Amino acid sequence: MVMKQFYFFMFALSRKMYCALATLLITGLFSLALPAYADSVTASLDKNVVTENDIVQLTIRADFTNTGNGPDLTPLKKDFDIVSQSQSSQFSFNLGSNTAMSYWVISLMPKSVGTFTIPPIKIGQYASQPLTLTVKNAPELLDKNGNPPVMLKTQVSSDNPYLQQQVIFTMKLYTSVPLSNANISVPSNPDLIFEQLTDDQSEFKEINGTRYQVLTRKYLAFPQRSGQITIAPQTMQAMMQMGAGQRIVRIQSQPINLQVLPIPPSYTNDNWLPSEGVTINTKLEKPKDTVRVGDTVIWTINIDAKDALPEQIPQLTFNSTKAYKLYPEPATFSSQKNDNGIIGHQTIKIQVVPTQKGTIKLPDVSVTYWDTNKRIEKTVTQSTPELTVVPLPTSASATTNNGTQKPKALDNPLPPQSRSVAPISLTKLENDQANPSDDTPKPIHTQLVKEQNEVNWRLYGIIGLSILLTLLLLACLLLFWKKKKSKDDEANVPTLKEFAPLTSSDEKSAFESLIECCRQDNITELRSHLLEWARHRWGDEQIRSIEDIKRLAGSVTLTQLLMEAELMLYSNQATHQWQGNSLAEALEEYQTGQPKKTQASQLKTLYPNF
């Protein structure tokens, strides 16, 4: 009996110990499993060593549900190009608990060779561990003939052009394998103005036994400063079809150095125009064969400059004389492009009004330019046909069809007649009376009819004169009302002093701020500094806009530079291309009255028609 109780006690004790041990074991397993499901971010690479232009996949895993906007990939853009990325989620259930994991797979392409550290990637408040990737030089791809499958070559028409001379920049892409998603860079340089010349041209060419498809793209480049200018290497990136699949290929061309020549000291003209040739055509459009005093004749001038933009052609001005008045219209610009470059075209139309009779000789049209082939200064001149002007016809003469004068009928009056002869106006009346039944004598009847006609015409004249005077009075009242209204409107226009008070203390400080703005090429603040200085110099009543500065300054150079700055400010070109040194020098010359003998002040900035 005692033994049975002992065995029962031992069995109960062992069962309790077994339960306690099992509970402890399960608790330990849970404690070991919990860290695996703690909130964390993990990153991994599919390979740690790659070759140039290969793609490596970065996998990021988040072991929590609230991932917000996903991983922050900004740190990767310094050394890698993000080709693509995808996202997926996974859910698991274990022992009554559930776990959510999110995955991001990012395809990266290294930008260069070397050893790179992939920095920690953050998702919310958690971040992954850093990784290391080694990028080696890729072996050069060659076909069976020993030729590369893709090549990119560049060349220029001249490596030592003059300032603002046309340079043709040519890019040629050679491909012997199919490409997809090709991306070719666009040439750019702050000291060069680029403009695409023609559409892309495609042809086939065989080189060392390999057949290439050649894509040719041409640009126009105009250097904006003298000295050495480097055109950076151009790049091309595409997906290349290989025998084993697709591969991203990235190639680049060699850099090109331009040695830009300055304006030659022997060039004497103020307007710098480098060109291979300039032609001028003029013509007169007459309203009729015979031109009289006061008629309007259209004088058209067409100027073509080879290898130059139309804005480079100097705008010509002509003055009126005692023999004629000139009314010019704004010049129009156009251009024509071909494989050899651009031809700038400028058309000027001037209305010519003769003021005296005789033969009128209009001024010759001359343009000076620098011949870029022979490297000498040339001047092309075109004369305008003479214009014969005849006087206006007098009141006592008329013109026949052949232009000769003939006397009017009033020059040969009728001979005097006797009193017994009836007036000419009554002759037909007396002949038309077939049945003279009136007992009144004919002379008395004729006199009554004449008096009645005179009374009627007098009445009509009085009525017409009254209507004319009434219309003139109404017109005078209308003009007076419009003039008064315009004065009231002008009085209501606020001045700059009212809504834009001056911020500088005197003209000197305002002028220094204006010069500093020009030196810094800050075209966005140019207008406010100009108005600030002008208001100090001429007063608030005289200055309302930039046009008032041009009018009051009276400087042709300053007016031209201000117009060019306004064109750049309101054009589609980027404002960082504007250079304000020329305007600053012109302002200093105007302020001090002492000219500066520099070539930069003679240079004319270009604004092409993009």
Side-chain angles (χ1 to χ4, degrees), residues 10-32:
M10 293 298 295
F11 176 75
L13 181 61
S14 62
R15 187 175 181 180
K16 290 182 179 179
M17 291 178 64
Y18 175 77
C19 293
L21 290 175
T23 303
L24 182 62
L25 179 61
I26 293 173
T27 304
L29 291 175
F30 270 106
S31 63
L32 292 175

Side-chain angles (χ1 to χ4, degrees), residues 26 56 90 257 265 279 302 357 364 492 519 527 554 591:
I26 293 173
V56 61
Q90 180 179 346
N257 294 323
T279 58
N302 294 307
K357 66 179 181 178
D364 296 338
N492 294 330
R519 298 293 186 193
R527 183 177 183 274
Q591 187 77 352

Side-chain angles (χ1 to χ4, degrees), residues 104-298:
W104 288 268
V105 179
I106 299 99
S107 298
L108 302 175
M109 171 177 284
K111 293 183 178 180
S112 60
V113 297
T115 301
F116 300 94
T117 298
I118 297 180
I121 305 301
K122 289 185 177 181
I123 302 179
Q125 58 180 345
Y126 304 99
S128 65
Q129 73 282 7
L131 301 174
T132 303
L133 177 66
T134 302
V135 183
K136 297 182 178 181
N137 289 319
E140 185 177 3
L141 294 176
L142 300 176
D143 58 11
K144 61 181 180 179
N145 298 320
N147 299 323
V150 183
M151 296 184 296
L152 182 61
K153 298 181 180 180
T154 57
Q155 63 182 15
V156 292
S157 59
S158 175
D159 55 2
N160 58 343
Y162 283 98
L163 184 68
Q164 294 185 351
Q165 178 186 346
Q166 168 191 282
V167 177
I168 300 179
F169 179 76
T170 305
M171 299 173 56
K172 291 188 175 183
L173 177 64
Y174 297 80
T175 58
S176 61
V177 295
L179 298 179
S180 60
N181 299 328
N183 185 11
I184 305 177
S185 63
V186 177
S188 64
N189 189 293
D191 297 322
L192 293 169
I193 293 179
F194 283 97
E195 180 180 355
Q196 188 165 349
L197 179 58
T198 58
D199 296 334
D200 295 345
Q201 304 293 327
S202 180
E203 61 179 348
F204 290 92
K205 188 176 183 180
E206 185 173 341
I207 301 176
N208 298 330
T210 301
R211 182 176 173 83
Y212 287 95
Q213 181 181 7
V214 184
L215 179 69
T216 303
R217 182 176 295 176
K218 292 184 177 182
Y219 292 88
L220 293 177
F222 294 89
Q224 298 302 292
R225 67 169 180 84
S226 58
Q228 181 172 331
I229 300 177
T230 301
I231 302 178
Q234 304 303 304
T235 60
M236 193 283 301
Q237 178 177 318
M239 188 72 70
M240 183 172 58
Q241 300 290 337
M242 303 294 292
Q246 292 184 340
R247 177 179 178 179
I248 291 182
V249 59
R250 178 189 294 167
I251 58 175
Q252 68 178 17
S253 64
Q254 296 295 327
I256 295 180
N257 294 323
L258 299 179
Q259 190 64 38
V260 182
L261 303 177
I263 299 176
S266 59
Y267 190 76
T268 58
N269 196 273
D270 293 336
N271 297 297
W272 169 245
L273 176 59
S275 174
E276 288 190 5
V278 176
T279 58
I280 302 174
N281 292 318
T282 63
K283 64 178 180 179
L284 295 176
E285 299 179 11
K286 305 176 184 178
K288 50 189 176 182
D289 295 337
T290 303
V291 179
R292 300 184 182 276
V293 175
D295 290 345
T296 300
V297 178
I298 304 300

